[in-house]
Amino acid sequence: MHEEIAEQQADITRLLLHHVHAPLIDTHYIRGILPVPPPAAAIRVATGANTAHTPEVLTAYEIPLRTNDDLVTAEDVTSILRTLHTGTRIYPSDSVSSVMGMTLVHVDPATVDVDAPTRDDNALTILRSIVHPFTEEEPDPRLRGFLFLEQDRLRLYLDTEEAPGVIAADVRPSGAITALLAALPSLITERGRMNEDRADPHCSVVVDLTDW
């Protein structure tokens, strides 16, 4: 069950990455996708302006990965988020909390009337399916989520067969990206680099690669 949750979190993350640059709607962009720890079957999507690079100015929405025994897809998450960002919404107090400095809204998909995918959404699905066809072979390490922490600090949530749990790797987008990506699989499993971040419930350990 836990692996099914991990696979779904990774799939949704992969399919929503383009919304780091392309708005969900109006001026709302995805600035983070957080893998909720098991046994909860959910994902958290943090949104804000495209200039937002710190959690304090973001709002995270926790969305269950199943509704009425049906799997929630990336397209469903997109539709839910667009609806939540349209107009003014008031949430019950018991559905609002906080995580990592962000306001956290627990979403009940049954209460959200979503619109059908747009023609551009469907066009993207067609194009993406051809360029990146589905394969059962998972990448290693596997991206489970991400979050902008600072102007030049991006946290990657990864898992790998070489280590248990979710590893958070902090990297500098302005750094030597090609070299970092080549070394990433081995760097995240080095025990000497691993530390705890008690403020982040989405990972087992944190590996700081910002000085690499």
Side-chain angles (χ1 to χ4, degrees), residues 111-180:
T111 66
V112 182
D113 295 325
V114 300
D115 294 329
T118 66
R119 283 176 292 181
D120 282 350
D121 290 334
N122 291 334
L124 177 61
T125 298
I126 294 169
L127 297 170
R128 188 164 48 200
S129 297
I130 295 171
V131 176
H132 298 290
F134 173 78
T135 174
E136 292 186 359
E137 184 178 346
E138 293 279 359
D140 191 1
R142 177 174 58 179
L143 182 67
R144 295 270 295 277
F146 66 95
L147 181 66
F148 288 95
L149 293 178
E150 297 173 7
Q151 186 72 28
D152 195 25
R153 192 182 190 98
L154 174 65
R155 176 161 292 185
L156 307 175
Y157 294 92
L158 305 160
D159 64 16
T160 173
E161 294 182 356
E162 304 302 319
V166 174
I167 300 170
D170 289 354
V171 301
R172 283 189 303 112
S174 67
I177 300 301
T178 302
L180 172 66

Side-chain angles (χ1 to χ4, degrees), residues 15 24 65 70 75 79 88-89 95 116 122-123 144 162-163 181:
L15 294 173
L24 285 160
L65 294 177
D70 293 327
E75 290 78 14
S79 296
T88 301
R89 303 185 70 89
S95 70
N122 291 334
R144 295 270 295 277
E162 304 302 319
L181 291 175

Side-chain angles (χ1 to χ4, degrees), residues 91-110:
Y91 301 99
S93 59
D94 61 356
S95 70
V96 179
S97 57
S98 64
V99 62
M100 298 178 68
M102 295 177 282
T103 298
L104 175 62
V105 178
H106 300 264
V107 178
D108 179 0

Side-chain angles (χ1 to χ4, degrees), residues 1-21:
M1 181 62 178
H2 290 178
E3 177 56 24
E4 291 178 4
I5 293 172
E7 288 180 4
Q8 197 175 357
Q9 289 171 338
D11 286 344
I12 290 174
T13 297
R14 174 175 57 87
L15 294 173
L16 295 186
L17 283 179
H18 63 287
H19 283 302
V20 170
H21 281 296

